[in-house]
């Protein structure tokens, strides 16, 4: 539920622009956040998962191992990011902490104070009272908040399941108590808030595994959280888990299999290619069909900053969010900003050779039906066409009142393999004659290249092309 509206969560992880620094002490790079919100919103997405303190190195503010406040500029920065999300009709899953708080490579100071708030009740209370409650109070009721997420993959820093990249570890009982008490504090401060936590995989989310391994169970069940932390309000409103090849695959396992009493969605997963036999562009649809409440891919920043060689996930995410918007608009569309309906149409090429194809793609928001040259199409869709001659294509979209928006493109069709592609095209030449640049204004399959060399030419030449 978002602002009283049931939605299917369709989006991505940011998860950070500057790791652990987005809340302060400096200012966030809002231009990067705006770029992401704009692209996601325009392509039918509705949600972003955002990491906040992360490892605790920069926020909250500390005095020894006691928390003294949210951190310099934290409140203003959080509000600014949420306001920007709202302006593009995107909500945020606010993830407070990650297993990174006990990463072995952290300095001892960072690790010591992390252990303190995880394992010492008095120190934990300094975080809740001096940082968490002021943050929640500051943005209470903000329309761009989907929910608060307590941890990212806390199991990775636990005694029971901890990874070698984290050291030291803490008992799962401490993690449960932390989840319980922070969730309770959030709900007391903002009774309308929703709370979850990001679980490594399904093995720690469902009791169906306990028969084969008592440790593989739902560690976040209401009664277990209350028993660990003692706060009767400290429960989750829905579950999220991550999928990187461990635990049951959500692509071939129905959500009902896990016998949960709350909605559940996939909060992290790659869309680098096919997964468990499901094509990359069909993965959100498969999760929808399998009964999950949403999908958030990992992650936008990998593509935007060319990180981790993960350049495919974001383009594939767009294909999925467009598909979900086109088929289930009422289940995914938010209108937080009051923006009027809009339409954007583009063609992959303004000019093609006879026999070649052009791809038309269009995006619209706030519309209920669409037509391409009078034929019914999706409100956010793409088609490939091979016109025999120059053609104009008109996309019309209509809102619920029947008001139309229209946009058009003209695709010129030229003879195939019969013309000098550089004829009449602009060229630029170096003063010393060492290079010539020709702008062909389009992409073509080139059959033959002819070069006329002057009397003083020697040493051969190099042909370069850009696409």
């Amino acid at each position: 539920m978002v602002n009283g509206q049931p939605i299917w969560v369709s989006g991505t992880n940011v998860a950070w622009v500057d790791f652990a620094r987005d809340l302060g002490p400096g200012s966030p790079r809002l231009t990067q956040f705006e770029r992401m919100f704009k692209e996601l919103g325009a392509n039918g997405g509705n949600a972003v998962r955002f990491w906040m303190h992360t490892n605790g190195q920069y926020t909250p503010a500390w005095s020894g191992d006691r928390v003294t406040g949210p951190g310099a500029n934290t409140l203003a920065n959080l509000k600014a990011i949420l306001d920007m999300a709202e302006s593009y009709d995107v909500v945020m899953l606010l993830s407070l902490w990650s297993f990174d708080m006990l990463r072995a490579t952290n300095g001892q100071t960072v690790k010591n104070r992390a252990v303190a708030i995880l394992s010492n009740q008095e120190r934990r209370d300094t975080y809740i009272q001096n940082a968490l409650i002021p943050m929640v109070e500051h943005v209470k009721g903000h329309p761009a908040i989907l929910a608060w997420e307590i941890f990212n993959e806390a199991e990775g820093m636990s005694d029971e399941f901890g990874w070698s990249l984290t050291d030291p570890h803490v008992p799962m009982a401490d993690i449960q108590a932390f989840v319980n008490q922070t969730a309770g504090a959030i709900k007391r401060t903002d009774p309308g808030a929703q709370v979850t936590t990001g679980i490594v995989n399904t093995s720690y989310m469902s009791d169906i595994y306990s028969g084969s391994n008592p440790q593989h169970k739902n560690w976040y069940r209401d009664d277990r959280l209350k028993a660990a932390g003692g706060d009767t309000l400290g429960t989750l409103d829905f579950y999220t888990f991550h999928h990187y090849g461990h635990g049951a695959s959500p692509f071939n396992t129905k959500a009902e299999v896990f016998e949960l009493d709350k909605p559940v969605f996939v909060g992290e997963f790659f869309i680098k290619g096919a997964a468990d036999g499901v094509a990359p562009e069909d993965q959100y649809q498969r999760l929808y069909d399998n009964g999950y409440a949403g999908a958030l891919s990992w992650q936008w920043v990998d593509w935007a900053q060319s990180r981790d060689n993960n350049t495919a996930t974001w383009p594939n995410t767009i294909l999925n969010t467009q598909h979900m918007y086109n088929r289930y608009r009422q289940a995914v569309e938010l209108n937080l900003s009051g923006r009027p309906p809009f339409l954007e149409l583009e063609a992959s090429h303004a000019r093609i050779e006879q026999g070649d194809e052009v791809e038309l793609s269009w995006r619209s928001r706030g519309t209920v039906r669409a037509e391409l040259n009078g034929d019914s199409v999706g409100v956010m869709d793409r088609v490939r066409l091979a016109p025999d001659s120059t053609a104009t294509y008109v996309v019309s979209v209509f809102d619920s009142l029947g008001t139309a928006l229209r946009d058009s493109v003209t695709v010129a069709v030229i003879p195939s393999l019969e013309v000098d592609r550089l004829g009449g095209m602009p060229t630029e030449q170096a003063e010393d004659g060492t290079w010539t640049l020709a702008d062909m204004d389009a992409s073509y399959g080139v059959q033959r290249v002819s070069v006329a060399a002057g009397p003083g030419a020697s040493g051969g030449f190099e042909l370069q092309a850009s696409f």
Side-chain angles (χ1 to χ4, degrees):
M1 301 292 290
V2 174
N3 306 310
Q5 175 186 344
I7 69 166
W8 197 84
V9 177
S10 179
T12 193
N13 282 261
V14 48
W16 60 83
V17 172
D18 289 314
F19 185 83
R21 296 180 178 90
D22 287 322
L23 287 184
S27 299
R29 289 196 284 165
L30 288 177
T31 54
Q32 289 297 304
F33 281 97
E34 182 172 28
R35 178 185 175 194
M36 180 212 20
F37 293 140
K38 183 177 181 180
E39 290 177 358
L40 181 64
N43 286 286
N46 60 23
V48 163
R49 180 168 174 258
F50 170 59
W51 289 19
M52 300 174 68
H53 305 308
T54 309
N55 60 10
Q57 183 172 356
Y58 301 100
T59 67
W62 301 86
S63 176
D65 58 7
R66 295 173 180 269
V67 176
T68 59
N73 301 315
T74 291
L75 300 183
N77 291 343
L78 176 58
K79 175 83 163 42
I81 294 170
L82 284 167
D83 287 348
M84 185 161 286
E86 179 186 2
S87 71
Y88 289 101
D89 300 320
V90 172
V91 292
M92 303 189 75
L93 179 58
L94 302 174
S95 185
L96 293 167
W97 295 95
S98 175
F99 69 84
D100 295 275
M101 62 199 301
L102 291 184
R103 187 176 281 272
T105 53
N106 290 348
Q108 200 61 46
T109 297
V110 173
K111 291 193 290 186
N112 285 347
R113 62 198 192 189
V115 170
I117 63 170
L118 287 169
S119 300
N120 181 288
Q121 184 66 60
E122 189 272 334
R123 299 298 195 267
R124 184 185 304 146
D125 285 340
T126 67
Y127 169 68
I128 292 173
Q129 296 300 322
N130 298 331
L132 179 60
I133 289 176
M135 284 194 302
V136 177
E137 184 67 42
H138 189 69
V139 295
K140 177 179 177 179
H142 198 294
I145 297 177
L146 168 61
W148 297 81
E149 181 183 89
I150 308 304
F151 283 120
N152 167 66
E153 300 183 353
E155 301 82 15
M157 60 180 178
S158 70
D159 289 336
E160 290 83 352
F161 314 111
W163 304 320
S164 60
L165 58 80
T166 56
D167 180 50
H169 297 149
V170 297
M172 279 297 297
D174 286 350
I175 291 169
Q176 289 174 303
F178 192 99
V179 171
N180 169 256
Q181 293 172 14
T182 51
I186 291 169
K187 293 181 179 183
R188 282 187 180 84
T189 307
D190 181 1
Q194 299 174 107
V195 180
T196 189
T197 198
I199 304 169
V200 169
N201 62 56
T202 58
S203 300
Y204 316 123
M205 183 189 73
S206 173
D207 287 329
I208 66 170
Y209 300 102
S210 59
S212 56
N213 185 341
Q215 296 285 60
H216 289 176
K217 61 183 180 181
N218 184 354
W219 288 85
Y220 305 99
R221 207 172 69 186
D222 288 1
D223 58 335
R224 290 169 180 157
L225 290 180
K226 292 176 185 178
D231 192 324
T232 57
L233 283 185
T235 60
L236 305 184
D237 295 284
F238 56 88
Y239 297 100
T240 75
F241 70 95
H242 304 165
H243 178 59
Y244 294 105
H246 304 285
S249 166
F251 297 109
N252 54 35
T253 307
K254 298 280 189 181
E256 63 190 31
V257 168
F258 302 113
E259 299 179 0
L260 301 172
D261 58 349
K262 301 174 182 180
V264 57
F265 67 78
V266 190
E268 282 188 26
F269 66 106
F270 289 134
I271 323 181
K272 294 181 177 180
D276 302 313
V278 181
E281 67 272 17
D282 296 331
Q283 290 178 17
Y284 283 26
Q285 178 67 60
R286 175 62 67 87
L287 295 176
Y288 181 92
D289 292 341
N290 280 353
Y292 296 95
L296 298 174
S297 65
W298 183 268
Q299 65 168 329
W300 178 83
V301 76
D302 285 349
W303 169 83
Q305 299 178 7
S306 300
R307 294 181 66 258
D308 299 334
N309 196 33
N310 184 12
T311 57
T313 285
W314 177 242
N316 286 333
T317 299
I318 287 176
L319 295 178
N320 280 274
T321 57
Q322 287 182 345
H323 171 83
M324 297 304 292
Y325 184 89
N326 193 40
R327 293 196 65 180
Y328 309 105
R329 181 186 61 82
Q330 290 184 321
V332 300
E333 185 174 50
L334 296 171
N335 190 355
L336 311 178
S337 64
R339 286 193 301 165
F342 74 86
L343 167 65
E344 296 175 349
L345 168 65
E346 59 185 9
S348 58
H349 298 89
R351 183 172 58 171
I352 62 172
E353 297 182 19
Q354 284 179 331
D356 285 350
E357 292 185 335
V358 61
E359 181 177 87
L360 303 182
S361 59
W362 57 94
R363 303 176 297 182
S364 71
R365 293 294 299 266
T367 60
V368 298
R369 66 183 182 89
E371 296 176 352
L372 171 61
N373 286 6
D375 294 327
S376 180
V377 291
V379 294
M380 190 173 290
D381 215 339
R382 61 189 66 227
V383 296
R384 296 192 67 85
L385 302 165
D388 294 327
S389 58
T390 297
T392 297
Y393 298 98
V394 180
V395 171
S396 304
V397 294
F398 305 85
D399 65 15
S400 58
L401 300 177
T403 305
L405 293 174
R406 292 184 174 86
D407 199 358
S408 65
V409 294
T410 297
V411 179
V413 178
I414 62 176
S416 177
L417 303 176
E418 294 179 1
V419 297
D420 179 356
R421 296 298 177 217
L422 294 184
M425 294 296 175
T427 58
E428 180 182 352
Q429 192 170 48
E431 291 185 2
D432 61 2
T434 55
W435 56 262
T436 298
L437 172 68
D439 185 355
M440 298 171 68
D441 193 38
S443 297
Y444 300 103
V446 178
Q447 189 177 59
R448 185 177 67 253
V449 176
S450 300
V451 177
S458 63
F461 68 91
E462 181 181 4
L463 180 69
Q464 296 179 332
S466 62
F467 301 93

